[in-house]
Amino acid sequence: MTGMRRLVTILCVTLSAVSAGAQDGGRKAIAYVQAPEMSSGLCAEKDAASAIDCAVKQCIEGGGTVEACEVNAVCSPGNWSVDIFMMADGGPHWHQFSCGWQTRELALKAAELACSNAKEDGLIECTAVQLIDEDGTVTEAPFT
């Protein structure tokens, strides 16, 4: 893991922890669960536990196993999230999910940062594929 990738990971974990304590009434939490190369789940719900449960169910229903469906990200409140597709040289691929960003633009910047060392990290593809608002509305990410 490169230093930049560690920084992004630490930043995302910190944002998740900080925003977990900032739950406002009526705001939703978001969770992303993934079974690499198999399935994933994405849910926005009333709290983090409900969002995780929902996303795990989606992952399993999509073909993942209970053991393989792991929580990749959870934020409460969810704010803006970005789904980043990554593919390594040789074919393995996965999604990196970053949530808790205050604006759509910051979520896109997080994706840009996550992909900034793609070639050095052995990735042949790295791109934001979708943006998700706090209500769970998914939109295609703009091509850059």
Side-chain angles (χ1 to χ4, degrees), residues 65-81:
T65 64
V66 173
E67 298 80 22
C69 291
E70 295 182 4
V71 177
N72 286 146
V74 62
C75 290
S76 180
N79 292 322
W80 280 91
S81 304

Side-chain angles (χ1 to χ4, degrees), residues 89-108:
D89 190 17
H93 62 280
W94 62 94
H95 290 257
Q96 181 174 315
F97 192 82
S98 182
C99 59
W101 299 100
Q102 294 296 317
T103 66
R104 177 184 186 276
E105 290 73 24
L106 286 174
L108 286 169

Side-chain angles (χ1 to χ4, degrees), residues 113-129:
L113 183 59
C115 293
S116 64
N117 291 327
K119 288 183 183 177
E120 294 86 351
D121 292 340
L123 300 177
I124 59 172
E125 187 172 347
C126 185
T127 188
V129 290

Side-chain angles (χ1 to χ4, degrees), residues 32 40 42 81-85 95 97 108 127-132 138-142:
Y32 181 74
S40 64
L42 170 66
S81 304
V82 62
D83 177 3
I84 308 160
F85 175 79
H95 290 257
F97 192 82
L108 286 169
T127 188
V129 290
Q130 50 187 10
L131 291 161
I132 304 94
V138 176
T139 58
E140 188 174 309

Side-chain angles (χ1 to χ4, degrees), residues 35-46:
E37 304 283 339
M38 288 190 265
S39 183
S40 64
L42 170 66
C43 287
E45 296 289 333
K46 63 181 176 159

